[in-house]
Amino acid sequence: MDNYHMVVALAGNPNVGKSTIFNGITGLKQHTANWPGVTVESASGEFTLDGKTCILVDLPGTYSLNTHSKEEEVARQYLCSGEADAVVVVCDATCVERGLHLLKQILSLETIKDHGIPLVLCVNLCDEARKKGIEIDFDLLKDVLQIPVISCCARCAGDLTSLKQTIFQCNGTKGCYDCLDFSPKRLAAETVRYTRTNYRKREEAIDRIVTGRFTGTGIMVLLLLGVFWLTMAGANYPSGLLWNLLFSLEGKLASFLTALRAPDLLIQALVYGVYRVLAWVVSVMLPPMAIFFPLFTLLEDLGYLPRIAFHMDRSFKRCRACGKQCLTMAMGFGCNAAGVIGCRIIDSPRERLIAILTNSLVPCNGRFPTLITLITLFFLTGIQGTFSGSLVAALLLTTAILAGICATLGCSWVLSHTFLKGIPSAFTLELPPYRRPQIGKILVRSILDRTLFVLGRAAAIAAPAGLVIWILANTAVGGQSLLLHLTGFFDPLGRLMGLDGVILMAFLLGFPANEIVVPIMLMTYLQSGMLVEMTDSAALLTLLTANGWTWKTALCMLIFCLFHWPCSTTCLTIKKETGSLKWTAVGFLLPTVLGVFLCIGVNVIALCLGAA
């Protein structure tokens, strides 16, 4: 720490713009969203003013320091450690009293009082307060608290500069808080004046509809349908362009390696094994993610996601689980691994474990291409037109997603009544105000922080998987490739499930990344020794039906695509979050057993009815 003038802790309630202030001051891109519980662990950055450098530590948002949750524990431990030379407490200008309660708790900490660590009160979101007719007497706040009080708008560079100056002015000073005693409720009443008593009337009217027992469900389903329709309708064209671009480089890459006099076997393995799988994953994953993640982030910024959690809390409470699980489940639509990490926002260890184990029951972005292909080929026969076709496909996909949500609730109920018994815990969830989305930040955050991150992780796993797949497809034993030997071994179980050995083997080899399940399946059917693309839907349908596919096969595969083992990245994340191989195995087996038995059930019913 010798190179720095001071270390400052940034504390505050959830959803007061604390991470936005941190990003604005340090220039880092700490993830911000319009719902509480995003920052579970502290982040740090640095900033410089007039040649002086400061470390800024962004503590988790917390309502109190009574250590009932992980956020409160992390914040309290850091503040009691004495590592900070100063503390900035951020509060919401539209709810000053709540921020003053946290300020008083921090002032009462022995470390703060004994060391005289200076405090600064930063009243953020003053622009929103003005719009709602809320006026604050900052001079009276300063006189009573006897500490620096700053009015701030986190998006205003001038206000952030003033905050930096105030922080450095605290360097070397000591505060005396022994005689400081105030009532947060009384002080808020004395310093805050409401010129518009009905400023929340419109928000309350919207909330009655959005969180209503029946209207809330309808709005949630419609929004889900709209997101998937926009994703499916918008991803086709850019996906085709990206496919053509990446695969046009395949021949050039092979020619380059040939010019380097690389062995033919190595060229085949690298170009038609590693590179082709990578190209497939990128072209299939990137366009849908580039549409889905911004739409999902838009709902975050609007403040809608906490309202989904509030609405779904009744359902999860009946399952003896936590309503916050709805938020982690929503994260799983983009990436199950991200959803598992997001389970940190759940305070109860029991409920957090339930959320982790059931997160893979909702399909991630990597499974969407397979689901869309199956729906398009087998369940949209006779539907003409791009708009109507995309709408019906989105409706069917939404139905599949709702099946995943129902499975999540059902499995949560089973776990909470068997292995993870317990009473559902109460939790505090603030419904933030509806805010105008910051489109620029949404695009940057969703593309850089989410899309490229998930894509990079999938590509890193898909590259070695491509080599393994190529080796299996091109290594012959007894006149057949190892791939065909393995598909023959799994064929009896596949037939029992209404599938075949090729499909099961494709899912097994797709363990690193779900996006490569369909191309592995096609490669095996064609016995081509490499991944193939069939852009012609009619030719693809002909190939599948020639290999014994019927609507029953497609339905069973759709079910198994919804419910099967998590990908390798998700399994590793479960192991990291739980620290247990046992619970990682449960997270692997739970969706798998459900999918196997559902497929067997559908197959048996179809056979009993004489349906093909």
Side-chain angles (χ1 to χ4, degrees), residues 539-585:
L540 178 56
L541 182 60
T542 300
L543 172 65
L544 295 178
T545 52
N547 282 275
W549 277 56
T550 64
W551 66 267
K552 182 189 71 174
T553 314
L555 179 59
C556 290
M557 183 169 176
L558 191 147
I559 292 172
F560 199 63
C561 184
L562 278 174
F563 308 120
H564 70 281
W565 48 83
C567 70
S568 57
T569 304
T570 304
C571 288
L572 290 173
T573 306
I574 293 175
K575 173 60 173 65
K576 181 181 178 181
E577 294 297 309
T578 62
S580 167
L581 287 173
K582 181 186 76 171
W583 290 119
T584 305

Side-chain angles (χ1 to χ4, degrees), residues 301-584:
D301 244 33
L302 282 170
Y304 179 66
L305 289 187
R307 287 158 173 87
I308 294 181
F310 176 82
H311 177 69
M312 291 289 292
D313 181 53
R314 303 185 194 97
S315 300
F316 280 102
K317 191 173 183 179
R318 293 192 187 101
C319 302
R320 296 185 182 177
C322 178
K324 285 184 179 180
Q325 186 175 339
C326 177
L327 297 175
T328 64
M329 182 178 64
M331 291 179 183
F333 288 130
C335 175
N336 290 137
V340 170
I341 294 174
C343 293
R344 296 175 184 177
I345 68 174
I346 299 176
D347 301 332
S348 164
R350 181 188 71 86
E351 293 169 346
R352 188 185 312 126
L353 187 54
I354 291 175
I356 287 173
L357 297 178
T358 58
N359 192 268
S360 297
L361 293 171
V362 292
C364 66
N365 183 79
R367 297 187 232 176
F368 287 161
T370 302
L371 293 172
I372 293 169
T373 300
L374 294 172
I375 289 171
T376 303
L377 288 179
F378 289 91
F379 302 103
L380 293 183
T381 306
I383 299 178
Q384 303 295 328
T386 303
F387 177 81
S388 57
S390 297
L391 186 60
V392 174
L395 182 61
L396 292 174
L397 182 58
T398 302
T399 304
I401 301 304
L402 293 177
I405 294 174
C406 292
T408 301
L409 291 170
C411 289
S412 297
W413 187 92
V414 171
L415 288 171
S416 64
H417 285 77
T418 53
F419 303 108
L420 297 170
K421 290 182 179 179
I423 304 299
S425 62
F427 73 97
T428 302
L429 178 66
E430 178 188 2
L431 294 183
Y434 293 100
R435 291 174 180 158
R436 182 178 299 175
Q438 303 177 64
I439 303 300
K441 288 188 177 181
I442 286 176
L443 292 175
V444 171
R445 192 169 76 226
S446 59
I447 292 176
L448 295 181
D449 294 354
R450 292 181 171 176
T451 303
L452 295 183
F453 174 74
V454 174
L455 184 65
R457 185 167 52 193
I461 295 173
L467 182 60
V468 172
I469 293 167
W470 185 88
I471 292 173
L472 289 176
N474 290 275
T475 303
V477 175
Q480 280 190 332
S481 68
L482 288 176
L483 190 57
L484 287 179
H485 280 292
L486 290 171
T487 57
F489 174 79
F490 287 108
D491 197 61
L493 176 60
R495 298 293 177 184
L496 179 63
M497 296 170 56
L499 306 171
D500 60 29
V502 171
I503 299 173
L504 282 186
M505 193 62 204
F507 275 105
L508 284 170
L509 292 176
F511 176 62
N514 285 289
E515 295 78 13
I516 59 178
V517 169
V518 171
I520 292 173
M521 186 180 66
L522 297 181
M523 177 183 70
T524 310
Y525 282 141
L526 291 171
Q527 300 184 34
S528 61
M530 63 184 70
L531 296 184
V532 294
E533 163 70 348
M534 301 189 70
T535 54
D536 186 355
S537 298
L540 178 56
L541 182 60
T542 300
L543 172 65
L544 295 178
T545 52
N547 282 275
W549 277 56
T550 64
W551 66 267
K552 182 189 71 174
T553 314
L555 179 59
C556 290
M557 183 169 176
L558 191 147
I559 292 172
F560 199 63
C561 184
L562 278 174
F563 308 120
H564 70 281
W565 48 83
C567 70
S568 57
T569 304
T570 304
C571 288
L572 290 173
T573 306
I574 293 175
K575 173 60 173 65
K576 181 181 178 181
E577 294 297 309
T578 62
S580 167
L581 287 173
K582 181 186 76 171
W583 290 119
T584 305

